[in-house]
């Protein structure tokens, strides 16, 4: 006992001694001058509790823990049984339509929009595998207007897609312009296109070969007759940021996102509904197959938006296969076409001013970052289309077709040894006229087709989504007249040809 | 003290954090609102309204002066816009800069310069946006443009400067938090540029970017993007005095060996 008291005194003695012994001079000193010898329970309580909380939160299945990163679809809820609009395909076009439907609806939460995506990792989606360019150099006024509106949207993207309490959206837009080169026999087409583009308000300059050489000294201007160079609103951006921004904003506005595959439509046709005219049908349900299970969930809906990108044609084929007895649907000519993209490093290549260059031969390239990396490819010639079944890259195609053309145009690329990396992606190719299809299906009036943009779907997605939403909600679109893009033309005799398809 | 400095250097360094769309946070109240917005939808909605109001105010400040332009021509309209932004302008043949007084009023003497082109515009620290550039695109003799410290000037706005390609000689985009190397790449459209100030930009590799800029604009002197912290700051160029040309090869030779 005594020892304990002594021990206590011994601990406290210096503090009391210094206070009483040396008087007022040392009163200002803090009570404890040395570091604490033992661990302080109260000091460590805070960090320990927060660590415990973190560990607990990591175990919860809803959090961004181990569950989410490996199997992103496991936590996605099944689709609701009733919806107003089902958007098939969660690519950038699908999410854009969903966002605009929710933005333009006249009453908050007045409409239930469901986006059904087959592959939440987007491993084969055209959106994220694209090169990400945006241009106004088209020959059709509709395409130019859609692209101009999209550029305005992308410029003010934070006014549209910013979600409170989130960091601002940066789509990393590189305003470097597109440079189209035309040989002698393509010059007239190019000039006619530039005339239309200027009438629509795009800023495009025509360059002669000598002006071209002065502006970009690294170009070989052999057999170039004229070039057109986009001065504003053209360049490239990060597709993944745009897709994510659309998705996040749409979900914050109340769009249902679910993982699954739309397998079939259940429709009213002339056989099972009295009063229905022959040859047309009306979709009542879509059946959604949940991932990793044979279970199917019917979702009743008023409108289906078919925005499945390259698989839009296949979707309509397989989903309406059950209806074949009563309603024979004409085939939609939208199919996947495989396109390669190669990345190479060239230390002495074109500098910071490099535009998105499109050669007279159809090969293209652009700069990637500032460290001397380039990215480019070309579309294979007709008749040599690769098999679209998988996404394997044909490296010989670069050596035999792409590289000779680019090295001829840019002599600095002659020293190129090998490709750094490469990938393949799908074009949602409209085999009829290589142009977007935007409008209700003629035989299924409540199925809205949105696809077939043949490589310019990403850049036109903000405006195309808005146009589609306005057509669905108001029946007309004031900003862009897209009557000519309706799917009815696909089975007619007059293709709506676009001259500037890369 | 040294530790505190080190931490500051580590955190801030030369790369400032990316700007928030709502502008710099104003004090503790704004921070508290942000925190509350994470928990309560009502606060989030109020924050959204405030954001919309701020954007509308910004848009109004950057409106196109089409009425003044139709009455007095584009030179006077550009001058009026610049002065009401808090900037200043100089007309051809004048030594004097015109600017608004402390209460934001400008003297009507600017109206006498109906047919005199604007040669210099200083908009440093103003709220200029992409849309505000509408007021300047018709100026054909603009030689000096100072956009330093403009918080809303971004890469899209820089992509619009090509309209001054025939005349612009001096440009400053120093300390613009939204300007990156992507926007600077469009400055090749300004072949007459002789002096470019890019100090204090949020770019990843200033040394490499400086070399690339000098290769892209061989006639131009690039200021403010030294690779080392210890480099003595170069004196800002005096207006009207041609800056000496700089040799990109020398700088390339000086910088590159340090990378290997």
């Amino acid at each position: 006992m005594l020892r304990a008291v002594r021990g206590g005194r011994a601990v406290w003695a210096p503090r009391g001694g210094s206070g009483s012994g040396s008087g007022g001079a040392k009163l200002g000193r803090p009570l404890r001058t040395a570091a604490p010898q033992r661990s302080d329970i109260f000091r460590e309580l805070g960090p320990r509790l927060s660590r415990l909380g973190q560990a607990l939160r990591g175990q919860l299945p809803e959090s961004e823990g181990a569950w989410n990163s490996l199997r992103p679809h496991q936590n996605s809820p099944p689709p609701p049984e009733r919806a107003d609009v089902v958007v098939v395909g969660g690519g950038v076009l699908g999410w854009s339509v969903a966002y605009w439907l929710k933005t333009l609806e006249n009453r908050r939460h007045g409409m239930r929009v469901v986006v059904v995506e087959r592959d939440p990792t987007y491993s084969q989606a055209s959106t994220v595998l694209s090169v990400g360019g945006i241009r106004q150099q088209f020959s059709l006024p509709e395409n130019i207007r859609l692209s101009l509106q999209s550029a305005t949207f992308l410029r003010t993207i934070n006014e549209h897609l910013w979600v409170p309490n989130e960091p601002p959206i940066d789509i990393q837009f590189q305003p470097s312009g597109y440079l189209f080169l035309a040989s002698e026999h393509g010059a007239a087409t190019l000039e006619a296109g530039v005339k239309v583009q200027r009438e629509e308000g795009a800023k495009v300059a025509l360059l002669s070969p000598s002006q071209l050489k002065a502006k970009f000294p690294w170009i070989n201007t052999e057999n170039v007759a004229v070039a057109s160079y986009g001065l504003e609103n053209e360049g490239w951006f990060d597709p993944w940021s745009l897709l994510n921004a659309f998705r996040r904003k749409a979900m914050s506005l109340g769009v249902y996102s679910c993982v699954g595959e739309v397998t079939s439509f259940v429709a009213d046709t002339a056989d099972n509904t009295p009063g229905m005219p022959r040859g047309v049908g009306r979709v009542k349900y879509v059946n959604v197959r949940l991932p990793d299970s044979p279970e199917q969930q019917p979702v009743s809906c008023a409108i289906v938006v078919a925005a499945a990108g390259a698989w839009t044609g296949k979707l309509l084929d397989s989903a309406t296969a059950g209806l074949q007895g009563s309603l024979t649907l004409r085939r939609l000519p939208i199919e996947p076409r495989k396109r390669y993209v190669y990345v190479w490093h060239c230390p002495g290549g074109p500098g910071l001013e490099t535009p998105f260059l499109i050669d007279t031969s159809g090969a293209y390239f652009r700069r990637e970052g500032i460290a001397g990396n380039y990215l480019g490819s070309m579309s294979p010639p007709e008749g040599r289309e690769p098999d679209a079944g998988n996404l394997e890259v044909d490296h010989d195609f670069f050596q035999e077709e792409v590289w000779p053309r680019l090295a001829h145009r840019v002599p600095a690329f002659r020293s190129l040894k090998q490709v750094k990396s490469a990938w393949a992606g799908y074009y949602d190719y409209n085999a009829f006229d290589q142009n977007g299809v935007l409008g209700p299906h003629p035989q299924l009036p409540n199925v809205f087709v949105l696809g077939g943009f043949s490589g310019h779907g990403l850049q036109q997605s903000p405006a195309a989504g808005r146009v589609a939403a306005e057509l669905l909600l108001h029946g007309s679109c004031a900003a862009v007249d897209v009557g000519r893009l309706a799917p009815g033309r696909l089975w007619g005799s007059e293709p709506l040809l676009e001259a500037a398809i890369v | 003290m040294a530790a505190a400095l080190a931490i500051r250097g580590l955190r801030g360094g030369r790369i400032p954090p990316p700007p928030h769309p709502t502008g710099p946070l104003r004090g503790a109240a704004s921070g508290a609102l942000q925190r509350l917005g994470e928990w309560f939808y009502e606060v989030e909605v109020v924050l959204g309204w405030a954001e919309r109001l701020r954007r509308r105010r910004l848009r109004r400040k950057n409106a196109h002066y089409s009425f003044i332009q139709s009455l007095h021509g584009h030179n006077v309209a550009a001058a009026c816009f610049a002065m009401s932004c808090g900037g200043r302008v100089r007309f051809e043949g004048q030594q004097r800069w015109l600017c608004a007084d402390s209460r934001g009023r400008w003297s009507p003497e600017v109206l006498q310069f109906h047919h005199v082109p604007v040669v210099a515009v200083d908009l440093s620290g103003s709220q200029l946006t992409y849309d505000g550039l509408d007021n300047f695109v018709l100026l054909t003799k603009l030689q000096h443009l100072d956009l330093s410290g403009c918080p809303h000037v971004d890469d899209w706005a820089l992509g619009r400067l090509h309209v001054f390609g025939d005349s612009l000689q001096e440009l400053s985009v120093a300390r613009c938090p939204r300007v990156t190397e992507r926007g600077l790449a469009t400055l090749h459209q300004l072949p007459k540029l002789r002096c470019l100030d890019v100090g204090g930009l949020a770019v990843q590799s200033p040394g490499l970017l400086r070399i690339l800029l000098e290769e892209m604009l061989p006639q131009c002197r690039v200021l403010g993007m030294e690779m080392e912290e210890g480099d003595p700051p170069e004196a800002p160029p005096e207006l009207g005095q041609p800056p000496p040309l700089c040799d990109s090869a020398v700088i390339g030779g000086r910088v590159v060996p340090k990378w290997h």
Side-chain angles (χ1 to χ4, degrees), chain A residues 155 158-159 165 174-175 232, chain B residues 37 55 130 162 182 186 188:
Chain A
R155 178 160 55 77
N158 274 310
E159 289 177 28
N165 295 319
Q174 166 76 60
E232 279 181 31
Chain B
R55 282 204 188 107
Y130 176 93
H162 69 89
R182 298 186 285 273
T186 64
H188 76 98

Side-chain angles (χ1 to χ4, degrees), chain A residues 133-138 147 178 180 234 456 459 500-502:
Chain A
I134 177 166
R135 61 180 160 126
Q136 280 84 50
Q137 299 187 46
F138 291 102
S147 210
Y178 267 65
F180 275 78
E234 292 198 341
H456 49 263
Q459 56 172 296
I501 285 292
V502 178

Side-chain angles (χ1 to χ4, degrees), chain A residues 108 134 150-152 154-156 158-160 162-168 170-176 203 215-216 229-234 351-354 367 370-371, chain B residues 19-22 33-35 37-39 44 47-48 51 55 59 130-131 154-156 159-160 162-163 178 181-186 188-189 205 208-209 212-213 215-216:
Chain A
R108 192 80 199 262
I134 177 166
S150 299
T152 310
L154 294 180
R155 178 160 55 77
T156 55
N158 274 310
E159 289 177 28
H160 297 282
W162 178 64
V163 182
N165 295 319
E166 293 283 340
D170 180 14
I171 56 163
Q172 311 197 347
F173 177 66
Q174 166 76 60
S176 281
K203 304 275 190 301
K215 219 173 178 62
F216 304 107
Y229 182 48
L231 299 169
E232 279 181 31
N233 294 334
E234 292 198 341
L352 213 54
E353 72 273 19
T354 316
R367 182 164 61 76
I370 58 170
Chain B
H20 199 265
T22 56
L33 268 180
Q34 292 259 329
R35 287 299 291 268
E38 292 171 12
W39 296 330
E44 194 181 288
L47 281 178
E51 174 65 23
R55 282 204 188 107
R59 209 174 302 143
Y130 176 93
D131 294 320
D154 52 7
D155 295 338
W156 292 83
R160 223 178 160 188
H162 69 89
V163 291
R178 294 192 179 192
E181 72 273 10
R182 298 186 285 273
L184 294 178
T186 64
H188 76 98
Q189 310 248 32
S205 47
L208 173 62
L209 187 59
L212 290 173
L213 280 174
E215 277 175 3
M216 185 174 85

Side-chain angles (χ1 to χ4, degrees), chain B residues 75 80 84 177 185 189:
Chain B
N75 289 308
C80 293
S84 55
Q189 310 248 32

